[in-house]
């Protein structure tokens, strides 16, 4: 019943948009790709730090300099603190991002996030023997990452044409997995350094964070501010100018004018319904369910099993019999390459072709299956330390590599794609704040819990746990998640029942007529001015 009703609303939403599906060649959207790529450099840091913490704490030089000793349980708790403190900072950064980007806009909020991250990165690099500076630096850097993690997808979705929006917003996850892979391979590379070099072994991977963020700071001034944010601030002239520039079309082009009319119509409807206060729109008709989706989809994403494997990949691979720090880091590096290839192929060729819901359901089902298999093998063939790697351990490693492929076309990229497009223009910053804060809060919990879960849930128990979570995810997505591909951002209001198709069509037609009349009046004014000038000369 719910699914058929959602399908009807999606059909109405696609019909209500007057902006045509232009299906222009990729280079016609080159400016949208370029702007999104610059914004997503901050997300590289998200991915890089995902793999950085677990790899650095596995280095003997780091353990020696910071006196990481004790029982297995004590070391696991300490490792959890070092890795998870960044997620704690990111949670508060995501919460602070919504009011900041509403006030400053998307572009300058990203700049603020960059400089906060730079301060945190420097604190980590200069740390010597006390974990205090490491904790403080990771929390500060996390605040910057958390802020950027909610601003970047907001900006990308607002500048993307609807026909390639999934591809552009899906770049988020591609950049994340590239960052993860960089961290794995840099951590692996420094293991070949002579142990006598000491602290330089762990300072190199930590210091590398400052390179991409430095490049991002230099490139951010070229970004055009989001036309949709400008429209919410009633800077309509600049909003139309930026929209036309991004689309590589003149402001008088019908495609630009209809898209702009749809943006203005949706924003003015929202303002009229809540007397101009955007925070009231969170509870307006059709909006609460969008926030529920953001919370639930990221809760289940974090407990899908992938993040535990990513953060503690060296330890996970060692736990299944791939012994030795170098062996675990090498296996993690290969794992990172698999994620880049799988995610890139899906985002380039699949996300706008197959939509959101079908790939999500297929991926979750396959992830659950592979986790059940890994748990079963682990339970029946418990890995033994020392000696050659067993066939069972190799089989488990293969299944983990296979597990990540469906993750890369489902639970990995699609929550960000979905949450970046389902919210209205005046609640998108609150919606992405909810999504990012949920992601980082559970990220913190999973990161803290994983080392202890590995110890307390032996013989494959941790894999069974995550497999069961994925069954719950499949059930909820199948019954309650609407398909949103191929629909304009403004038409999401129809899918979620905020307005009807007829109401939106009438408002768009009225706004489009007003815009067309303004251009006609402007042209007549110029023409009459020229004629008057000619009369004077005569």
């Amino acid at each position: 019943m719910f699914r058929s009703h959602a399908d009807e609303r999606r059909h109405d939403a696609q019909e209500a948009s007057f902006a045509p599906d232009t299906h222009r060649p990729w280079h016609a959207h080159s400016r949208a790709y370029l702007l999104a790529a610059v914004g997503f450099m901050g997300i590289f840091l998200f991915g890089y730090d995902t793999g950085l913490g677990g790899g650095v704490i596995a280095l003997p030089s780091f353990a020696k300099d910071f006196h990481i000793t004790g029982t297995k349980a004590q070391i696991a708790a300490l490792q959890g603190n070092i890795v998870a403190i960044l997620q704690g900072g990111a949670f508060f950064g995501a919460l602070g991002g919504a009011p900041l980007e509403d006030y400053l806009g998307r572009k300058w909020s990203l700049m603020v996030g960059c400089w906060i991250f730079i301060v945190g990165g420097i604190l980590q690099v200069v740390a010597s023997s006390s974990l205090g500076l490491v904790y403080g630096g990771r929390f500060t850097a996390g605040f910057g990452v958390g802020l950027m993690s909610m601003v970047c997808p907001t900006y990308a979705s607002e500048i993307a044409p609807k026909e390639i929006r999934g591809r552009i917003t899906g770049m988020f996850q591609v950049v994340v997995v590239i960052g993860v892979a960089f961290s794995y391979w840099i951590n692996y590379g420094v293991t070949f350094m002579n142990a006598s070099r000491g602290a330089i072994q762990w300072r190199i991977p930590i210091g590398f964070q400052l390179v991409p963020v430095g490049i991002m700071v230099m490139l951010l001034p070229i970004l055009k501010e989001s036309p949709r944010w400008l429209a919410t601030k009633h800077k309509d002239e600049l909003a139309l100018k930026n929209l036309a520039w991004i689309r590589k079309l003149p402001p008088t082009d019908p495609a630009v004018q209809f898209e702009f009319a749809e943006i203005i119509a949706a924003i003015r409807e929202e303002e009229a319904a809540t007397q101009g206060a955007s925070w009231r729109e969170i509870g307006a008709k059709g909006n609460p369910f969008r926030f529920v989706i953001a919370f639930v989809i990221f809760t289940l994403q974090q407990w899908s099993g992938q993040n535990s494997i990513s953060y503690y990949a060296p330890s996970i691979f060692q736990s299944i019999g791939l012994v030795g720090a170098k062996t675990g880091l090498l296996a993690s590096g290969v794992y990172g390459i698999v994620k880049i290839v799988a995610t890139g192929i899906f985002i380039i060729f699949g996300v706008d072709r197959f939509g959101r819901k079908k790939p999500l359901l297929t991926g979750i089902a396959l992830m659950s299956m592979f986790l059940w298999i890994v748990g079963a093998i682990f339970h029946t063939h418990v890995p033994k330390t020392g000696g050659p790697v067993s066939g069972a351990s190799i089989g488990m490693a293969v299944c983990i590599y296979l597990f990540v492929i469906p993750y890369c076309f489902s639970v990995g990229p699609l929550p960000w794609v979905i949450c970046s497009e389902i919210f209205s223009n005046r609640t998108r910053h609150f919606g992405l704040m909810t999504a990012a804060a949920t992601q980082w809060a559970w990220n913190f919990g999973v990161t803290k819990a994983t080392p202890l879960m590995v110890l307390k849930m032996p013989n494959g128990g941790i894999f069974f746990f995550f497999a069961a979570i994925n069954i719950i995810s499949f059930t909820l997505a199948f019954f309650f998640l609407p398909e949103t591909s191929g629909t304009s951002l403004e038409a999401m209001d129809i899918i979620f029942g905020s307005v009807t198709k007829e109401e939106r069509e009438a408002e768009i037609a009225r706004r489009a007529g007003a815009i067309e009349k303004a251009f006609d009046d402007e042209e007549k004014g110029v023409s009459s001015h020229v004629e008057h000038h000619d009369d004077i000369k005569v």
Side-chain angles (χ1 to χ4, degrees):
M1 181 70 176
F2 181 88
R3 293 178 63 209
S4 61
H5 190 48
D7 290 340
E8 289 175 9
R9 282 183 172 177
R10 179 173 178 248
H11 177 73
D12 287 347
Q14 291 176 329
E15 286 195 337
S17 178
F18 287 11
D21 289 322
T22 54
H23 299 294
R24 302 163 70 200
W26 74 268
H27 54 79
H29 302 302
S30 59
R31 289 174 181 170
Y33 283 116
L34 173 64
L35 297 181
V38 173
F40 279 143
M41 290 189 72
I43 300 306
F44 178 93
L45 304 169
F46 178 160
Y48 188 80
D49 259 275
T50 297
L52 177 68
V56 166
I57 61 180
L59 296 172
S61 58
F62 187 86
K64 178 182 176 183
D65 287 354
F66 293 96
H67 315 294
I68 299 177
T69 58
T71 65
K72 282 187 176 182
Q74 289 172 331
I75 293 174
L78 193 58
Q79 288 177 339
N81 291 337
I82 294 169
V83 174
I85 193 71
L86 182 132
Q87 280 71 49
F91 171 77
F92 290 104
L95 290 179
L100 183 69
E101 73 166 338
D102 186 44
Y103 178 71
L104 290 180
R106 314 329 186 193
K107 175 179 176 178
W108 295 111
S109 295
L110 287 174
M111 184 68 82
V112 171
C114 284
W115 282 108
I116 292 173
F117 183 90
I118 287 171
V119 171
I122 291 172
L123 289 176
Q124 293 174 70
V125 171
V126 301
S128 55
S129 59
S130 171
L131 283 174
L133 273 180
V134 175
Y135 287 141
R138 282 186 66 79
F139 184 88
T140 305
F143 193 97
V145 169
L147 196 160
M148 288 187 281
S149 72
M150 62 86 50
V151 179
C152 286
T154 304
Y155 180 71
S157 68
E158 290 182 344
I159 64 170
K162 64 182 179 181
E163 58 266 27
I164 60 165
R165 190 176 61 238
R167 192 178 303 163
I168 286 183
T169 55
M171 286 170 59
F172 184 103
Q173 188 65 18
V174 176
V175 176
V176 168
V177 296
I178 290 173
V180 172
F182 262 80
S183 69
Y184 286 160
W185 285 105
I186 291 176
N187 283 333
Y188 178 64
V190 297
T191 61
F192 291 94
M193 295 178 65
N194 193 309
S196 63
R197 301 288 299 276
I200 193 69
Q201 186 186 41
W202 57 263
R203 282 200 171 112
I204 287 175
I206 290 178
F208 181 79
Q209 301 173 94
L210 298 174
V211 175
V213 74
I215 296 172
M216 186 177 177
V217 166
M218 291 187 287
L219 292 178
L220 275 176
I222 75 170
L223 256 64
K224 294 284 186 182
E225 184 54 83
S226 161
R228 286 176 165 89
W229 179 79
L230 291 169
T232 64
K233 300 303 177 182
H234 294 260
K235 299 179 181 180
D236 293 358
E237 185 176 343
L238 182 55
L240 178 59
K241 181 181 176 182
N242 281 10
L243 181 65
W245 185 89
I246 294 168
R247 298 292 181 264
K248 299 177 75 172
L249 293 169
T252 54
D253 187 277
V256 174
Q257 289 198 10
F258 277 123
E259 183 176 1
F260 188 67
E262 190 173 2
I263 291 170
I264 296 298
I267 291 171
R268 300 299 177 257
E269 283 173 1
E270 293 158 14
E271 290 175 338
T274 55
Q275 292 80 48
S278 63
W279 60 267
R280 290 180 182 171
E281 289 160 22
I282 295 173
K285 182 181 178 182
N287 284 344
F289 185 52
R290 308 190 214 198
F291 284 86
V292 171
I293 288 176
F295 176 79
V296 172
I297 201 169
F298 274 102
T299 297
L300 295 172
Q301 182 208 52
Q302 293 304 301
W303 289 100
S304 68
Q306 163 57 25
N307 276 5
S308 295
I309 294 172
S310 289
Y311 279 119
Y312 297 100
S315 302
I316 294 288
F317 282 116
Q318 289 178 45
S319 76
I320 63 174
L322 301 177
V323 296
K326 283 186 179 180
T327 303
L329 287 170
L330 176 59
S332 302
V334 175
Y335 182 73
I337 296 296
V338 171
K339 288 175 70 176
I340 292 175
V341 174
T343 306
I345 290 173
F346 174 67
I347 295 304
I348 294 170
F349 300 107
V351 67
D352 287 314
R353 178 176 300 177
F354 301 112
R356 319 293 188 242
K357 187 165 181 174
K358 289 180 181 177
L360 184 66
L361 292 173
T362 303
I364 291 172
L366 290 172
M367 287 167 61
S368 183
M369 181 186 74
F370 286 123
L371 286 171
W372 285 115
I373 293 172
V374 173
I377 297 174
F378 199 112
H379 188 76
T380 56
H381 298 78
V382 178
K384 298 178 181 177
T385 56
V389 177
S390 68
S393 295
I394 293 173
M396 284 186 280
V398 169
C399 282
I400 287 179
Y401 289 135
L402 291 174
F403 159 84
V404 81
I405 293 173
Y407 170 85
C408 290
F409 64 76
S410 61
V411 178
L414 289 177
W416 290 108
V417 173
I418 292 166
C419 289
S420 67
E421 64 189 10
I422 62 175
F423 292 98
S424 65
N425 288 314
R426 286 168 53 78
T427 61
R428 189 167 295 112
H429 53 295
F430 290 124
L432 269 296
M433 176 197 75
T434 302
T438 302
Q439 190 264 346
W440 287 114
W442 287 121
N443 212 315
F444 177 87
V446 171
T447 303
K448 278 287 293 175
T450 296
L452 296 175
M453 289 173 71
V454 171
L455 293 175
K456 302 294 184 182
M457 302 174 74
N459 301 334
I462 189 171
F463 298 106
F464 292 140
F465 173 81
F466 291 130
I469 293 291
N470 284 310
I471 292 176
I472 296 172
S473 300
F474 182 93
T475 304
L476 292 176
F478 182 82
F479 287 107
F480 298 108
L481 185 68
E483 178 59 69
T484 53
S485 63
T487 307
S488 70
L489 293 180
E490 287 68 32
M492 295 294 169
D493 291 338
I494 299 173
I495 290 180
F496 289 95
S498 298
V499 297
T500 65
K501 172 188 171 184
E502 293 73 23
E503 290 170 338
R504 179 54 56 82
E505 283 179 337
E507 184 65 17
I508 294 172
R510 189 171 73 82
R511 295 290 175 180
I515 294 169
E516 186 177 0
K517 184 177 184 301
F519 274 105
D520 288 344
D521 291 344
E522 185 178 338
E523 288 178 4
K524 288 177 182 177
V526 171
S527 176
S528 86
H529 175 75
V530 170
E531 289 174 6
H532 179 67
H533 185 68
D534 287 343
D535 289 342
I536 293 173
K537 290 174 75 175
V538 171

